[in-house]
Amino acid sequence: MIEVQHLTKKYGKHLALDDLSFTIEKGQIYGFLGPNGAGKSTTMNIMTGYISATSGEVLIDGHSILDEPEKAKKSIGYLPEIPPLYLDMTVMEYLKFVAELKKIPKDKRSAEVRKASTLVKLNDVSNRLIRNLSKGYKQRTGLAAAVLGFPDIIILDEPTVGLDPKQIIEIRQLIRKLAKDHTVILSSHILAEVQEICDYVLIISKGKLVGSGTPEELEELSHGKDSIELTVKSDADTIQSVLDRIDGIQNVTWRNQGAGSCDLLVDTSKSAQEVCEDISIAFATERIPVTRINILKATLEDIFLELTESSQKDEEGETKR
Ligand code: ADP
Ligand code: MG
């Protein structure tokens, strides 16, 4: 449905997108995840025809955004990072104006505007000046403009930024509702957010795709990144001597070293489950009580750090060469 092929974008000498390629299929919620400056907005601005790429191509349902912008843009609604709202218009005036820009036929405009503003719950403020709206309502006005005409694909650049927790929950609910009939692509620098709302995540760092998958698949990537926390009723030297005999222990962090009991965190280089079993058997053989043992699963955040660090290392390697 959307094919992004070898996108490169240079701002002067600065390479903001570096040969970025991916495909978006119909009917899911996609998340662009990446820190500030990763290139999320640049990618979205190119995909929606706001700015041009230095090289590469974007095809929307087979239509090039560059060569056939009208056809390509027809299936896209876009909420940019800073929505181009006209502050001196009322919400209704603005949405009617957007409907006109979107070439929604005149006799259908009112109905379409009503549909969009009902969906995002804007009806109460439809006669207010945009200038006087709260940040949350301004964001909803931008969202209504994006969904107006109900295009197949809705692209939202950091839709929850600057909103309070209640507004964030509301916007997320709205996104889920939209996703029932539309493909939604959103960007975020918040891991928990993409993990919570998205079906598929594309991780971008320094203009490159450094990882992608379902939130579950990304967690799978973490195997070997899990760690084990345990409390053992013995002294540190004895505990260490038992651990030394176990395969797959990478690192031990001592959290609390009491005379009769220690808390520690064990990083593993193989399946944490296997190491966990070996640990409990080893201490049981020595008749040393383990009073607590728990596997800590790596979070998406750990994976993100891992992926972005490894891409940074690659880059450093390249500059040294
Ligand atoms: P994100 O949305 O992930 O935070 P952006 O796409 O906004 O990232 O920016 C990617 C990189 O390109 C950043 O380093 C940013 O400073 C740079 N950049 C973005 N827009 C411009 C611009 N108009 N002129 C120069 N540099 C820009
Ligand atoms: Mg951005």
Side-chain angles (χ1 to χ4, degrees):
M1 153 172 258
I2 301 183
E3 284 168 76
V4 169
Q5 296 166 349
H6 304 290
L7 273 197
T8 298
K9 176 70 183 178
K10 284 185 183 158
Y11 292 112
K13 279 187 180 161
H14 179 69
L15 188 60
L17 296 185
D18 186 3
D19 196 26
L20 191 65
S21 301
F22 57 87
T23 307
I24 302 275
E25 304 291 346
K26 211 179 168 123
Q28 288 199 314
I29 307 183
Y30 284 83
F32 283 173
L33 176 65
N36 287 328
K40 305 180 295 296
S41 298
T42 302
T43 308
M44 289 183 155
N45 283 335
I46 294 172
M47 284 167 76
T48 52
Y50 260 50
I51 61 172
S52 60
T54 306
S55 62
E57 197 170 32
V58 176
L59 300 175
I60 315 275
D61 287 334
H63 302 293
S64 158
I65 192 83
L66 199 67
D67 303 332
E68 305 170 88
E70 292 239 330
K71 276 187 185 154
K73 280 184 190 177
K74 232 176 137 169
S75 31
I76 301 179
Y78 184 31
L79 174 69
E81 197 162 25
I82 302 163
L85 300 173
Y86 290 90
L87 300 179
D88 292 323
M89 286 184 181
T90 65
V91 171
M92 188 52 73
E93 281 166 355
Y94 175 68
L95 292 178
K96 283 196 172 145
F97 170 67
V98 173
E100 202 179 319
L101 286 184
K102 287 195 175 186
K103 302 206 167 91
I104 294 173
K106 205 167 182 180
D107 55 328
K108 290 198 178 127
R109 269 179 221 158
S110 292
E112 286 295 319
V113 165
R114 214 173 310 120
K115 234 166 85 184
S117 65
T118 304
L119 179 78
V120 307
K121 299 198 189 123
L122 267 178
N123 288 331
D124 292 349
V125 298
S126 55
N127 293 318
R128 296 254 297 269
L129 284 181
I130 293 175
R131 172 183 304 288
N132 299 332
L133 297 178
S134 67
K135 167 89 187 165
Y137 273 104
K138 280 193 183 119
Q139 190 71 335
R140 283 196 210 180
T141 308
L143 197 59
V147 302
L148 202 56
F150 294 87
D152 288 343
I153 307 157
I154 294 174
I155 300 183
L156 311 169
D157 195 359
E158 305 241 14
T160 59
V161 149
L163 303 183
D164 68 34
K166 185 166 169 273
Q167 294 166 336
I168 289 177
I169 291 171
E170 285 169 1
I171 293 278
R172 284 186 189 162
Q173 281 170 347
L174 250 170
I175 291 170
R176 283 203 198 89
K177 203 153 116 190
L178 276 175
K180 287 186 185 142
D181 310 304
H182 305 270
T183 303
V184 178
I185 307 169
L186 60 91
S187 68
S188 175
H189 62 281
I190 305 160
L191 294 153
E193 178 158 272
V194 292
Q195 205 166 17
E196 194 189 314
I197 1 183
C198 299
D199 303 308
Y200 199 83
V201 185
L202 298 157
I203 302 178
I204 301 176
S205 171
K206 298 192 171 174
K208 283 187 186 153
L209 195 67
V210 293
S212 64
T214 61
E216 294 78 23
E217 276 169 353
L218 291 174
E219 273 196 46
E220 282 284 306
L221 268 181
S222 70
H223 260 117
K225 294 245 87 198
D226 296 342
S227 50
I228 301 166
E229 50 177 9
L230 67 161
T231 304
V232 185
K233 244 175 135 176
S234 187
D235 61 274
D237 287 345
T238 310
I239 295 170
Q240 185 66 59
S241 71
V242 174
L243 292 179
D244 284 345
R245 281 179 251 146
I246 299 169
D247 195 33
I249 293 183
Q250 205 168 38
N251 186 40
V252 178
T253 311
W254 298 86
R255 288 217 169 132
N256 186 18
Q257 291 190 35
S261 175
C262 296
D263 295 328
L264 50 149
L265 189 72
V266 174
D267 292 331
T268 62
S269 56
K270 61 178 197 185
S271 150
Q273 188 61 45
E274 265 176 53
V275 178
C276 205
E277 287 167 16
D278 292 346
I279 289 176
S280 56
I281 292 168
F283 284 107
T285 310
E286 299 294 323
R287 300 197 56 78
I288 297 171
V290 175
T291 54
R292 186 180 61 127
I293 187 156
N294 185 27
I295 296 177
L296 291 179
K297 283 195 72 67
T299 62
L300 200 53
E301 186 140 36
D302 298 323
I303 301 153
F304 183 64
L305 284 174
E306 163 100 357
L307 290 169
T308 48
E309 271 167 18
S310 62
S311 87
Q312 262 164 21
K313 274 180 206 146
D314 289 351
E315 242 170 54
E316 280 160 21
E318 273 164 28
T319 49
K320 271 180 208 142
R321 252 175 263 141

